Amino acid sequence: LLKRLEAAEAAALAELSAATRRTGTELGTPEGRGPSRPPWRLVVFDFDLTIAREHMWGTYKSAPLETIPVSSDTFVDLPLFRALVAAIRDNAGEVAIATFGRAEVAGKAMSFALGPNHGVQITTPTDFADPGFATGEPIPSAAIVK
């Protein structure tokens, strides 16, 4: 699976590079937008094994934040991620992260990648109330209407 993803990423990057050479514009520049603005306004990324090279949640579950290393090696492709965020924002879009991991770990990575005022909204399941856990007990599977 990893080899297929790497091949797909390489192909997409090659296609983007070819388009840049054909148009003579850089990714994220107004000239590179084409005749119309993109229809999207929000792009949401998964964090673990998408932006981050490793499964940060699986590796550092409850480790203190200051002990969790974040460097350029943390990212699958940091320059490409930065360029993608810039292009999204240049086209009036916003960037967010949805993760099952810890928001503060993803936040630390975003601060490294984009600066302390990165402006990336990070959501986790803890941000959303689960009525099944209102009493501390999960809803029995037999009670779920199918």
Side-chain angles (χ1 to χ4, degrees):
L1 178 63
L2 183 57
K3 294 288 184 204
R4 288 193 334 228
L5 288 172
E6 288 171 344
E9 178 184 18
L13 187 55
E15 187 177 319
L16 177 61
S17 295
T20 299
R21 283 191 302 275
R22 280 193 310 273
T23 62
T25 60
E26 292 296 318
L27 177 66
T29 62
E31 299 83 19
R33 287 189 206 149
S36 63
R37 296 183 76 88
W40 43 261
R41 292 288 182 246
L42 176 66
V43 177
V44 182
F45 294 97
D46 180 40
F47 181 67
D48 291 318
L49 297 174
T50 303
I51 296 170
R53 183 178 305 280
E54 68 179 304
H55 196 277
M56 301 290 280
W57 168 241
T59 304
Y60 301 105
K61 283 186 173 78
S62 59
L65 186 61
E66 63 274 5
T67 67
I68 299 172
V70 174
S71 70
S72 58
D73 292 335
T74 301
F75 298 83
V76 172
D77 189 330
L78 182 56
L80 181 62
F81 178 70
R82 286 176 172 155
L84 183 58
V85 170
I88 291 167
R89 289 177 170 167
D90 285 349
N91 285 282
E94 292 296 330
V95 176
I97 293 175
T99 181
F100 283 104
R102 293 166 48 195
E104 63 269 20
V105 174
K108 182 176 181 178
M110 291 303 96
S111 291
F112 179 88
L114 305 171
N117 298 316
H118 55 77
V120 175
Q121 177 70 38
I122 302 166
T123 61
T124 71
T126 61
D127 296 325
F128 304 96
D130 182 347
F133 288 95
T135 63
E137 297 293 322
I139 299 173
S141 59
I144 298 173
V145 177
K146 294 184 181 191

